């Protein structure tokens, strides 16, 4: 029998955070092994499990999975968060792709210089309010349902809530012009598994700090500066 799902990553958000969100939404308990040294990372490389020499890696159902999207696809399908048919799955993929693009602007934010962070903050808010949030506001308005796809809770809803909260950390009133997204945020946040994940003491990670950045740089030997968009 396969053991408890286990995540291999840093003690911080990065690309693993969306995986944590989806597992939590599905009510799946998981444990984590945090990469803190270069030696740990090299041991994983030597094991051969990091097919493309990258983390995240997730141990689930007897598999050691890499590639974030493949991991998320598997979890969503396994726990019925991926729509009821191929058309719904296509919609979920489109909406998740959009929120992924938005979150991509935030992912490297902690690694920027102070000057670049201010530029990137404005860029993130501008993109969220002009390109991404209007799309989801219109979707919710047009079909008048509680969830993005098929009026059932799905991966698309989990991903959008995660993205909303990430942008709100950059500008707290970013949803002021989006009443349906405000209601959506409140509605999804009240789902029991999500509510539990949002409570203090959960495995949700805080906003990345200098310690997280230093650990990632040291383990991955990131010697170059990251540039803003």
């Amino acid at each position: 029998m396969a053991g408890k799902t286990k995540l291999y990553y840093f003690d911080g958000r990065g690309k693993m955070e969306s995986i944590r969100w989806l597992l939590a939404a599905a009510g799946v308990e998981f444990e984590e092994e945090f990469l803190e040294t270069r030696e740990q990372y090299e041991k994983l490389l030597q094991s051969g499990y990091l097919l493309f020499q990258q983390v995240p890696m997730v141990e689930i159902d007897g598999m050691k999975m890499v590639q974030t999207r493949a991991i998320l696809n598997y979890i969503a399908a396994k726990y019925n968060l991926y729509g009821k048919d191929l058309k719904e799955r296509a919609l979920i993929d489109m909406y998740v792709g959009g929120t992924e693009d938005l979150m991509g602007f935030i992912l490297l934010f902690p690694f920027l210089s102070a000057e670049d962070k201010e530029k990137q903050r404005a860029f993130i808010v501008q993109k969220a309010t002009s390109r991404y949030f209007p799309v989801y506001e219109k979707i919710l308005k047009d079909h008048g349902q509680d969830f993005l796809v098929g009026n059932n809770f799905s991966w698309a809803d989990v991903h959008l809530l995660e993205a909303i909260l990430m942008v709100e950390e950059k500008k707290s009133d970013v949803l002021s012009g989006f009443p349906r997204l405000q209601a959506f945020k409140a509605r999804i946040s009240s789902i029991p598994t999500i509510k539990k994940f949002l409570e203090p003491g959960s495995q949700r990670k805080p906003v990345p700090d200098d310690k997280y950045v230093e650990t990632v740089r040291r383990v991955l030997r990131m010697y170059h500066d990251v540039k803003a968009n």
Side-chain angles (χ1 to χ4, degrees):
M1 179 182 290
K4 185 182 289 188
T5 298
K6 187 172 182 179
L7 316 185
Y8 296 81
Y9 200 68
F10 304 99
D11 187 8
R13 290 184 182 175
K15 290 191 172 184
M16 186 65 89
E17 191 69 357
S18 291
I19 296 169
R20 296 184 185 105
W21 266 89
L22 197 55
L23 287 169
V28 178
E29 293 185 1
F30 57 89
E31 55 190 37
E32 304 190 65
E33 181 173 313
F34 298 126
L35 296 179
E36 297 174 342
T37 67
R38 179 70 186 183
E39 289 70 29
Q40 280 179 287
Y41 179 61
E42 289 179 347
K43 186 176 179 180
L44 277 182
L45 290 175
Q46 291 162 9
S47 74
Y49 294 128
L50 300 185
L51 297 185
F52 306 104
Q53 301 177 28
Q54 296 171 316
V55 287
M57 183 175 79
V58 173
E59 195 169 342
I60 183 171
D61 294 342
M63 299 184 291
K64 289 183 170 65
M65 295 191 69
V66 296
Q67 291 297 311
T68 307
R69 177 54 83 98
I71 296 165
L72 290 166
N73 285 348
Y74 183 82
I75 295 166
K78 178 179 172 69
Y79 295 103
N80 300 314
L81 295 170
Y82 212 171
K84 71 178 187 297
D85 56 32
L86 202 55
K87 288 186 177 179
E88 286 193 358
R89 183 168 292 196
L91 288 174
I92 290 168
D93 282 340
M94 286 198 302
Y95 301 159
V96 164
T99 47
E100 260 180 5
D101 290 346
L102 175 56
M103 289 194 286
F105 299 136
I106 305 172
L107 191 63
L108 296 178
F109 186 86
F111 298 90
L112 300 174
S113 66
E115 180 182 356
D116 279 346
K117 279 182 179 178
E118 289 313 304
K119 294 176 184 176
Q120 188 74 350
R121 188 188 308 275
F123 177 85
I124 289 164
V125 172
Q126 188 271 325
K127 289 296 184 185
T129 55
S130 67
R131 178 183 291 184
Y132 296 99
F133 288 171
V135 171
Y136 301 110
E137 183 79 4
K138 185 176 187 300
I139 290 165
L140 293 167
K141 178 182 179 181
D142 287 352
H143 65 39
Q145 297 173 333
D146 288 345
F147 305 104
L148 287 173
V149 178
N151 206 26
N152 285 302
F153 182 48
S154 77
W155 175 20
D157 303 304
V158 180
H159 219 49
L160 178 55
L161 177 61
E162 182 188 1
I164 287 170
L165 297 180
M166 289 172 74
V167 179
E168 284 187 331
E169 288 169 351
K170 303 293 176 264
K171 189 175 190 291
S172 60
D173 65 347
V174 73
L175 288 186
S176 60
F178 302 97
R180 287 171 183 81
L181 284 182
Q182 292 176 38
F184 172 88
K185 174 191 166 187
R187 191 162 56 244
I188 304 303
S189 296
S190 69
I191 292 172
T193 54
I194 298 291
K195 183 177 180 181
K196 182 179 179 181
F197 190 60
L198 292 172
E199 289 172 351
S202 81
Q203 287 168 288
R204 184 186 179 209
K205 303 306 176 194
V207 177
D209 58 13
D210 290 343
K211 180 182 178 183
Y212 167 77
V213 170
E214 193 276 329
T215 299
V216 173
R217 285 187 181 276
R218 184 180 68 252
V219 173
L220 298 183
R221 293 181 176 167
M222 292 173 58
Y223 301 124
H224 60 282
D225 291 331
V226 175
K227 298 296 183 183
N229 286 284

